[in-house]
Amino acid sequence: MLSVRAAAAQVIAQILASKGSLSSLLPSVSAKIADNDRPLLQELCFGTCRYYPQLQAYTECLLDKPLRAKDGDVQALLLLGLYQLLHTRIPDHAAIGETVEVTRHIKKPWATNLVNGVLRSFQRDSSRINEFLTENRAFMSNHPAWMEAMISKCWPEQFEQLIAANNQHPPFSLRLNTNKISRDTYLQLLGDADITAKPTQFSPYGITLEQACDPRKLPHFTEGWLSVQDEAAQLSGDLLQLSTNLRVLDACSAPGGKTGHLLELEPSLRVTALDADERRLARVRENLSRLGVTADVVCGDGTKPDSWWDGELYDRILLDAPCSATGIIRRHPDIKVLRTPEELDKLGELQQQLLKNLWPLLKPGGILLYATCSIMPKENTRVIEAFLARNKDASCDQLDVDWGLEQVCGRQLLPQMDGHDGFYYARLRKRA
């Protein structure tokens, strides 16, 4: 059985080495620790990633020379120790003592004095170090330098709001199946259960809880009356302008939240839920089963439709494209560690390929809704502009909505404090 800090160091070291993400690493590591330690494991791992740019800047000031690449586990311990001293209620002596003890578990006794010395030096000199780092923009924004510069360039007027929203804990939002229960009635149910909640501002299906909880304990969750989903993601269903008996492709559908929403809105739809990852499709099937809806779940690559498409055109296509996820950093703070600027260029190429290869599958007069959870124009409106320039049978609707910022093509939602995540939508029509 691993200690919770040894387990956290294992996760963080893997992330530092780009050998996994929080979502891929935590489940297996959690199984190796005591049940009552799992909340602390999640707090340590998510928190260390959330504050990684600042914690890394501290270690650079405190170490005489950088650690070797093979000592990523020691680097992880330093980050974990600093996070505990700065952002938890764990007593300093316990945070330092327990973190130092892990050096023995990882069989690096030489690091015992190093970790102890660095953490105690921070205790003594934190005010001086903070003053020294005030000119470091990555430290002050708590974002990687390249990301801070890109956000500043793309969104100068919204920069401070964006940085603050990215650094906070995410709100906990639900999507109701309003065919099962009205939003007002469900809010009353929550109130009767002493759960404080409010309606979302833009989605007519959404509720945001004051505090996150285990959704399985919420009224009627297991019966499929509600799902966990951010407000911004809930907007896709109405944008598709659904009607009865349409044939719909949900490309890149995992984990199935939007697929389920489409079928809640219009149960007569014939939906194909496509994803390239068979393991993630298991989540799609689980979610659809809980909601009591059915779709044709298909494992396939959206850039290679010949391998899975049956030849019948679709009335609607939802393309929630792979992206940098820079609109949901607060939900996936390891993005601050893992993402690189070069990846954005590769993702832009993939997004273009998906549009190019899925567009022929759409009926004349049909709608393709392009969506990402990115705030970077090079993944959003620039992608759509390039697509429109190449496809004269395509046009982009001007969205008549009261949310987001109008772009050359589509609308951009930016993450809001205690509100929706960052998201982009563009509705494309194929000329009849």
Side-chain angles (χ1 to χ4, degrees):
M1 190 72 71
L2 277 178
S3 75
V4 65
R5 288 171 181 80
Q10 186 179 114
V11 171
I12 297 300
Q14 293 280 84
I15 290 172
L16 294 177
S18 298
K19 293 181 178 178
S21 63
L22 287 171
S23 59
S24 67
L25 294 168
L26 272 175
S28 59
V29 175
S30 294
K32 301 176 183 177
I33 66 171
D35 290 353
N36 60 346
D37 279 337
R38 287 174 186 171
L40 179 57
L41 174 66
Q42 177 145 327
E43 164 69 15
L44 292 176
C45 292
F46 272 77
T48 300
C49 289
R50 194 178 308 282
Y51 291 98
Y52 172 76
Q54 291 184 344
L55 301 175
Q56 179 65 9
Y58 282 133
T59 65
E60 289 170 359
C61 290
L62 290 160
L63 288 169
D64 293 331
K65 59 181 180 180
L67 292 166
R68 296 169 296 181
K70 68 177 184 178
D71 294 320
D73 48 1
V74 178
Q75 178 71 17
L77 282 176
L78 293 176
L79 298 171
L80 285 164
L82 290 168
Y83 174 72
Q84 292 170 81
L85 293 175
L86 283 161
H87 299 291
T88 72
R89 296 179 181 177
I90 299 169
D92 287 3
H93 68 87
I96 295 174
E98 294 291 331
T99 303
V100 169
E101 181 63 24
V102 179
T103 59
R104 298 182 176 90
H105 291 295
I106 61 175
K107 298 180 180 180
K108 290 189 175 179
W110 62 264
T112 299
N113 289 336
L114 173 70
V115 173
N116 184 65
V118 166
L119 297 181
R120 294 196 181 280
S121 293
F122 177 77
Q123 276 187 305
R124 292 192 305 269
D125 300 332
S126 59
S127 296
R128 179 183 61 80
I129 296 170
N130 283 332
E131 186 176 347
F132 172 75
L133 289 170
T134 53
E135 299 301 315
N136 183 322
R137 293 183 63 176
F139 174 82
M140 296 303 292
S141 68
N142 190 35
H143 283 63
W146 72 266
M147 190 181 292
E148 185 273 344
M150 191 174 288
I151 294 173
S152 179
K153 179 181 178 181
C154 295
W155 304 106
E157 295 180 14
Q158 297 85 8
F159 176 76
E160 296 296 338
Q161 166 210 313
L162 269 168
I163 294 300
N166 283 349
N167 286 332
Q168 74 164 174
H169 287 265
F172 188 81
S173 296
L174 308 170
R175 184 194 76 240
L176 290 176
N177 182 348
T178 51
N179 292 322
K180 302 282 190 181
I181 191 169
S182 73
R183 182 160 66 173
D184 287 344
T185 303
Y186 196 78
L187 283 167
Q188 183 62 53
L189 281 180
L190 293 177
D192 293 343
D194 293 323
I195 298 172
T196 304
K198 63 181 181 181
T200 50
Q201 183 177 1
F202 302 112
S203 167
Y205 316 102
I207 286 174
T208 299
L209 272 57
E210 188 174 87
Q211 291 191 337
C213 69
D214 183 345
R216 293 170 295 182
K217 297 179 180 178
L218 293 170
H220 301 293
F221 180 83
T222 55
E223 296 135 277
W225 291 20
L226 63 148
S227 300
V228 178
Q229 189 178 48
D230 180 72
E231 181 186 16
Q234 297 177 29
L235 302 173
S236 60
D238 287 341
L239 288 174
L240 276 165
Q241 299 181 338
L242 300 172
S243 59
T244 56
N245 299 314
L246 295 180
R247 179 170 157 88
V248 180
L249 172 65
D250 183 1
C252 312
S253 63
K258 296 182 185 67
T259 312
H261 191 200
L262 298 181
L263 288 161
E264 289 171 354
L265 293 172
E266 186 47 73
S268 68
L269 298 177
R270 294 180 294 144
V271 177
T272 301
L274 179 76
D275 203 271
D277 189 337
E278 181 60 55
R279 292 171 301 176
R280 299 189 72 215
L281 284 174
R283 286 283 310 281
V284 176
R285 295 185 181 95
E286 289 171 9
N287 285 326
L288 296 181
S289 176
R290 184 181 62 82
L291 295 174
V293 297
T294 57
D296 185 17
V297 180
V298 175
C299 185
D301 184 343
T303 66
K304 300 173 182 177
D306 288 348
S307 65
W308 53 266
W309 181 46
D310 63 7
E312 183 182 352
L313 296 174
Y314 294 96
D315 300 284
R316 302 286 187 270
I317 295 177
L318 171 58
L319 173 54
D320 190 357
C323 69
S324 64
T326 44
I328 54 172
I329 288 173
R330 58 192 178 183
R331 296 189 189 279
H332 301 279
D334 47 346
I335 289 169
K336 292 182 177 180
V337 187
L338 295 170
R339 198 67 74 228
T340 66
E342 292 76 22
E343 280 183 289
L344 267 68
D345 294 327
K346 293 179 181 177
L347 285 164
E349 294 171 7
L350 174 59
Q351 291 150 4
Q352 294 281 5
Q353 283 297 312
L354 284 165
L355 278 169
K356 175 184 176 182
N357 288 285
L358 292 176
W359 187 249
L361 280 56
L362 184 66
K363 286 181 181 178
I367 290 172
L368 185 151
L369 183 65
Y370 177 83
T372 76
C373 54
S374 171
I375 62 167
M376 300 304 186
K378 69 191 305 180
E379 297 180 90
N380 297 335
T381 187
R382 302 288 180 266
V383 169
I384 299 302
E385 285 182 279
F387 175 77
L388 292 172
R390 293 194 307 268
N391 293 271
K392 300 308 178 185
D393 62 343
S395 62
C396 187
D397 285 357
Q398 185 171 5
L399 300 179
D400 184 17
V401 293
D402 59 354
W403 46 258
L405 301 171
E406 187 173 4
Q407 303 296 288
V408 175
C409 301
R411 290 185 82 86
Q412 178 72 59
L413 296 124
L414 300 177
Q416 303 294 305
M417 297 290 287
D418 303 316
H420 58 70
D421 288 340
F423 229 83
Y424 172 81
Y425 287 110
R427 188 168 64 204
L428 303 174
R429 287 184 188 270
K430 180 176 280 190
R431 293 193 175 91

